[in-house]
Every structure is written in structure tokens, then in C-alpha cells.
Amino acid sequence: MLAIISLLLALVIGASFYLKWKHSYWSRRGVPYMEPEFFFGNFKKASLGKMLPSEVIVKAYYEFKSIGAKFGGIYFAYTPIWIPLDTALIKQLLQKDYWNFAGRGNFYHHKNDILTNHLAFSEGAGWKSLRAKLSPAFSSGKVKNMFHIIDRVGDQAESIVMDLCKRNQPLSIKEVQACFSIDVIASCAFGIDSNSLDNPNNELRQHSRKLFTPNFLSRLLEQFVNWDVLNFLGYSGLGKDADNFFVKLISDMINYRDKNNVTRQDFLQLMLNLRQKENTADGNEKNVLARDEVISNSFLLYGAGSGTVSSNMSFLMYEMARHPEIQEKARREIWEVCKYDPEYKVTYEDLHNLKYCDMIINETLRIHTSVTEVRRMCTTDYQVPGTNVTIQKGTFVLIPIWALHNDPDYYENPKEFNPENFGEEKKADRKNAPFFPFGEGIRSCIGMRFALIQMKLAMVKYLKHFKYELNSKTPKDIQYEASPVAIEPKGNVLFDIKKVDIENYI
Ligand code: HEM
């Protein structure tokens, strides 16, 4: 008995020394660090729901900045994460030295977990080749071809607002915008009319809700258990239900198009066109894009393109309701572009003339940076320039863009919503101020152009005919909640709607 107790005691003491040693990783490397706590590292409050994970990164940013450090280290449980804060260093990592950080370190299994075998999770040469194949699908010409899809869904959103206005009901912006974004991207990435605006509880929406619900337990499992073991045990990054649903949905659509010779101008078609054969170096033939790659990348565009746009539009409209004078200025610009005609249909080209709306979008992306960090994994040992610190291969890197965008050293009164931050007058100051809501460098967001067009057209649809005020149930101060792809405004955000008096604008 005594022997067993002694053995257990020795194991406990050994384990505790080992875990302490794991938590000394950054101090052993001479990197400033935030003091970790047992088991949780620096994410105890975040794990207990008392803080957002993104707020932990903001806290770390200011802690390191207060001691004049250019970078620092934190721990997710026992996994070290490196946080660079110096803007010159960040630019170097994302641009000149991007090849040292050619991965993101997400959970994926190429053979068995089809939906995670896509551009955003791929690394190195595989990523580079896939990115080159997919990039043409996001050119301005291709995005312009999809404008009519966004416009049609936008009209539907506009009539929903009209209907609510007539019935004197408040608008739940998160709900309507989520359906708006899902319908646009489902049409462009899967080629289906999902009709979430008319039927918010359809099957696609239900599976999407699960997809966008953060799952801390999964993230922990992925950190602690070998990925091949997880896969052997039947674990999938998204859950089996979601896997089966989305794979079947996209496969059915591919089969339908192949069988009926149907073509459309959307992302799915552009990827299907890449299935033609190419010659490989060894003289064989292979598809430029395999069928599974079409499925996983369609799914990626859906996942990356719906949550991000909808959270940003919800923040933007929240700010409009909080700032009636800014809302009014945007509306006047929209009427001007619409040639003061209530029936005028805005064109793709017209959107370029909405300069003040652009400023509002940028200010929203600055202050509420929905993708709060740019994530990388170090793929070859990297000596930080001007130091003797080496970041080891396999280290996670988080670039704290939300913190940088709200740092008073770069933006005066950073918590004040001020579109003038992106006006002509501040152009010179902006050169030194960090602003990269879509990331930076060769791996920045591939969907940026598509996202910006969608947001601007959504502004036209929401603002031209209606005014918004905060409903009494909606807090004046914006609070945040997390989703796996973005942060979004907390809770149900309701606005009271009034139809504008057209006489004031024509
Ligand atoms: C306002 C909306 C959006 C924001 C704020 C946003 C932000 C970002 C950010 C910060 C990244 C990481 C960039 C980096 O690592 O340097 C990213 C990557 C990506 N985004 Fe977006 N995004 C948005 C909309 C979209 C849309 C609409 C799509 C697709 C239609 C999309 C597809 C992607 C993809 C595929 C990647 C991975 C690119 C790669 O690894 O090569 N995003 N996005």
C-alpha cells in the first residue's frame, strides 16, 4: 500500500515539475511572458466564459507594450503562443519572411476529414499552389459577375425591413444579416438558393449555427491529443453531422451540374472549371483541382465568408443606430449616387462612388476588428531580426490586430467611432497606423473584394429608405461575444425602424 502511495506521490510530483517546466518555455528562451496558471495557461477566465479569448490577447498586448517589448509569449494551456507587437516586425513576418510562417496550425486530416482539407488550413508549397489556382476566382471581373446574386438577396433583405417597418416591429440585425450573408455565400459557393431570409430555420441555417458556435472542448482536445489518434477515434474538426450534411449538399450540386450540363457564374463553377487535366512533371496527368478539393474549398468559402461579413455588418449597423448624424450623412451619399431617384438600382460601378460609406466600413473594421488576430504557425526555425531569440518550428503565432487597431498611440480616441479616421485629412497620419483587418501580405484574405462589395451594397439596401434607432432593449454600449471565425455584438441587437421621408432627399 505504502509503495503504491509513494509511487502515486512520485508521479504527481514528477508531473507537476514537468508541467511547471512546460510553463517555463518562454522564460527559458528569454522572451517576456504573461504569468500562466496551472492547466489553463493564460486562458483560465476565457475557458470559464468570464473573458473572450480575443480579450486575453489584447491584455497580453498591453502587458508586453508596457515594458517596451516588441513581442511576448503566452500559453494556451501548455501550448506556447508567440505574440509580435512591433508593426515593422509584423510587416516583415507577413511579407518578406512569410515563408518561415507558411502554416496556420489548424486541425486537419487530408484523407479522412475532407472539409478541413482546404486553402485556409493548408501549408507551404501545397498552400501556394492552391492559392494560385483559386485567386483568379476573386478578381474584380469575377466578383462583378456575382454582383447580381448579392443584389437579389439584398432586395429580399430590404423587403423584410420594409415589412417589419410596416408592422412596427423591431429589426433583429444579427438575425437578418446572418441570413443575408448565408443566402449570398450559399448561392455563390454551393450554387443553391438557401432562402434563409424567408425561412430562417431551414436545414442549412441549422447546421451553420452549429458550425459558428465556439467549441472550447474541441480546441483543447486538438491541443492535447495526437491528431491521428483523434481521427482514428472518429473525431472530425466540425462534427460528423456537419461533415455529412455539407459534403452531401456540395456533392449533389456538382452531380446535378455535371449531369445537366448546367453552368453558372459563381465560385463553385470557377472551381469546377479547374477540374480539367494538367500534365505533371513525371509525364502523368492529374486534375488541377480534384473533386474533394472543390468540395472542401466551397465549404471554406461558405464558412469564411458568411460569419465574417455578417458580424461586420451587424457592428456597422449598430454604430449607425448609435450615431444618427453619421447614419444621415451615409444616407445622403447613397441618395446622391442613386441620382435622387427612389426606384434607382445601384450598379457595381456606382459602389465605387460611395466614399463616405467606404470610410464607415473601414472604421467598423478598425474598431470592431471581427477577425481579431492573424494566425500563423512557424514552419522553419526563425531568428527574430535584431535579437538572439529563435522562434522554433511548430510555434503558434498570433498577430494582435484588434489590439493594434485600438491602440491610442496609433489612433486618437480609438474607442470613438469616427469615420474621419479614414478621410483625406488623416491620410498622412494613416501611413504609420496599422490597419489590416483582412490580414497582410501574400496570405491575406482572398475574399476581401467580395466582402467589401457585399457590405457596401448591404448599406445601400438597409439605409436608403429606412432610419434606425436603438431599441430600448439594446444596450448603448457595444459588448462582444465570440464565434469560431469572428467576434460579434453580444446578444440580440434590436433596432426601431422608421421609413425615411423621401421629400427630404429628392
Ligand atoms: C469582412 C469580412 C472578412 C474579414 C474581416 C476577413 C478577414 C480575414 C482574415 C484576417 C484572414 C487571415 C489573413 C491572413 O492570415 O493574413 C482571412 C483569410 C481568408 N478569408 Fe477572409 N475575411 C472576410 C471575408 C471573407 C469572404 C467573404 C471570403 C470568401 C468568400 C473569405 C475567405 C477567406 C479565405 C479563403 C481565407 C484564407 C486565405 C489563405 O489562407 O490563403 N473571407 N480573412
Side-chain angles (χ1 to χ4, degrees):
M1 186 64 182
L2 194 65
I4 294 175
I5 293 174
S6 311
L7 187 67
L8 280 177
L9 207 64
L11 275 176
V12 170
I13 293 171
S16 101
F17 271 109
Y18 174 69
L19 293 178
K20 269 231 161 305
W21 178 79
K22 292 274 280 178
H23 270 167
S24 67
Y25 179 85
W26 289 120
S27 68
R28 280 183 278 126
R29 311 196 76 72
V31 172
Y33 60 96
M34 223 161 68
E35 199 58 54
E37 292 181 81
F38 174 73
F39 184 71
F40 294 100
N42 298 106
F43 287 81
K44 186 171 177 183
K45 282 192 177 164
S47 323
L48 300 174
K50 293 184 178 160
M51 201 176 185
L52 298 183
S54 311
E55 288 169 338
V56 177
I57 310 301
V58 172
K59 187 167 175 265
Y61 173 88
Y62 284 107
E63 203 167 309
F64 299 140
K65 198 172 166 172
S66 70
I67 54 167
K70 289 189 171 182
F71 51 82
I74 60 168
Y75 299 89
F76 177 77
Y78 288 91
T79 304
I81 299 174
W82 186 52
I83 303 189
L85 17 149
D86 179 72
T87 51
L89 173 61
I90 291 172
K91 276 207 160 68
Q92 176 147 4
L93 301 180
L94 293 179
Q95 292 177 355
K96 188 162 160 274
D97 298 335
Y98 82 92
W99 200 243
N100 295 78
F101 301 92
R104 286 214 175 85
N106 300 73
F107 177 83
Y108 66 93
H109 276 275
H110 291 257
K111 283 196 293 291
N112 306 328
D113 206 351
I114 297 180
L115 292 185
T116 55
N117 176 18
H118 53 56
L119 183 74
F121 289 3
S122 58
E123 288 179 11
W127 165 78
K128 204 172 176 185
S129 139
L130 189 55
R131 175 92 186 201
K133 291 173 194 169
L134 295 181
S135 286
F138 294 86
S139 68
S140 53
K142 297 291 188 317
V143 170
K144 186 177 170 184
N145 288 340
M146 287 177 245
F147 177 81
H148 69 100
I149 297 177
I150 311 175
D151 190 47
R152 176 178 47 77
V153 180
D155 284 346
Q156 260 177 290
E158 195 180 21
S159 49
I160 284 177
V161 177
M162 172 69 91
D163 183 53
L164 289 169
C165 180
K166 280 185 185 153
R167 290 190 289 120
N168 214 8
Q169 295 283 308
L171 165 70
S172 169
I173 186 68
K174 279 172 67 178
E175 183 63 15
V176 169
Q177 184 55 47
C179 295
F180 185 160
S181 301
I182 284 178
D183 286 352
V184 166
I185 198 73
S187 181
C188 296
F190 303 153
I192 60 162
D193 288 331
S194 53
N195 255 330
S196 309
L197 277 166
D198 284 341
N199 176 12
N201 286 321
N202 64 22
E203 212 183 345
L204 177 65
R205 185 84 202 290
Q206 284 175 27
H207 281 284
S208 306
R209 276 203 194 100
K210 282 186 224 154
L211 215 62
F212 299 132
T213 307
N215 191 337
F216 190 72
L217 195 66
S218 300
R219 301 292 89 82
L220 269 183
L221 264 182
E222 291 166 14
Q223 295 291 321
F224 283 116
V225 185
N226 178 285
W227 290 0
D228 290 320
V229 173
L230 280 180
N231 190 246
F232 177 76
L233 294 174
Y235 177 85
S236 91
L238 300 164
K240 283 285 171 211
D241 268 6
D243 267 5
N244 295 339
F245 173 77
F246 283 104
V247 171
K248 183 170 182 321
L249 182 80
I250 306 168
S251 301
D252 286 352
M253 185 45 75
I254 297 175
N255 293 342
Y256 170 78
R257 287 198 185 179
D258 283 349
K259 201 169 153 209
N260 300 291
N261 250 335
V262 173
T263 57
R264 276 182 32 149
Q265 291 189 325
D266 58 20
F267 290 127
L268 179 62
Q269 192 64 47
L270 293 164
M271 286 191 270
L272 289 175
N273 295 347
L274 290 171
R275 285 180 305 170
Q276 83 272 19
K277 305 280 181 201
E278 68 174 2
N279 292 322
T280 57
D282 55 10
N284 292 322
E285 267 194 337
K286 74 170 174 73
N287 286 335
V288 179
L289 210 62
R291 185 187 164 94
D292 279 0
E293 286 179 301
V294 174
I295 295 178
S296 59
N297 285 293
S298 302
F299 173 75
L300 165 66
L301 298 187
Y302 177 77
S306 53
T308 46
V309 172
S310 80
S311 97
N312 274 296
M313 272 314 294
S314 303
F315 282 127
L316 187 150
M317 290 300 292
Y318 208 146
E319 293 292 7
M320 292 304 94
R322 275 158 41 99
H323 298 94
E325 66 302 339
I326 298 177
Q327 186 189 145
E328 187 54 31
K329 195 167 167 186
R331 186 175 302 105
R332 291 205 172 271
E333 182 180 65
I334 290 167
W335 276 92
E336 191 185 334
V337 163
C338 291
K339 304 181 176 50
Y340 305 101
D341 174 357
E343 303 302 324
Y344 184 83
K345 289 289 281 172
V346 164
T347 64
Y348 178 82
E349 287 71 22
D350 286 333
L351 296 183
H352 299 300
N353 297 324
L354 291 169
K355 304 282 182 223
Y356 190 63
C357 290
D358 259 339
M359 288 157 63
I360 291 175
I361 290 174
N362 282 338
E363 180 64 352
T364 307
L365 288 162
R366 179 193 71 77
I367 203 163
H368 306 295
T369 314
S370 61
V371 181
T372 48
E373 298 88 30
V374 165
R375 178 179 170 144
R376 288 284 185 278
M377 178 176 268
C378 183
T379 42
T380 48
D381 283 2
Y382 180 76
Q383 180 161 1
V384 185
T387 73
N388 52 13
V389 171
T390 298
I391 302 302
Q392 285 182 303
K393 179 179 172 182
T395 308
F396 285 98
V397 183
L398 286 182
I399 293 162
I401 47 177
W402 192 26
L404 285 158
H405 288 171
N406 283 278
D407 183 336
D409 281 350
Y410 300 120
Y411 292 93
E412 224 178 295
N413 301 325
K415 295 286 168 208
E416 189 182 299
F417 186 82
N418 178 15
E420 297 307 326
N421 277 325
F422 292 90
E424 278 302 308
E425 270 181 29
K426 297 241 176 153
K427 213 171 186 170
D429 302 352
R430 265 207 313 278
K431 284 208 178 92
N432 301 322
F435 182 63
F436 33 94
F438 293 97
E440 171 101 12
I442 189 164
R443 202 165 185 173
S444 60
C445 176
I446 202 170
M448 178 176 88
R449 196 176 278 126
F450 184 77
L452 291 174
I453 292 295
Q454 201 183 322
M455 287 177 72
K456 241 196 269 187
L457 193 54
M459 282 184 81
V460 173
K461 304 290 177 188
Y462 285 130
L463 291 177
K464 186 174 175 192
H465 291 288
F466 308 100
K467 279 186 185 176
Y468 302 88
E469 283 171 17
L470 293 182
N471 179 272
S472 56
K473 291 190 184 135
T474 304
K476 183 144 176 42
D477 291 330
I478 300 182
Q479 290 162 17
Y480 298 98
E481 66 187 20
S483 84
V485 282
I487 49 164
E488 54 189 34
K490 191 173 180 178
N492 191 9
V493 178
L494 297 173
F495 303 146
D496 297 328
I497 319 163
K498 279 201 189 93
K499 182 106 175 51
V500 300
D501 185 354
I502 291 180
E503 294 303 311
N504 288 337
Y505 299 93
I506 52 178

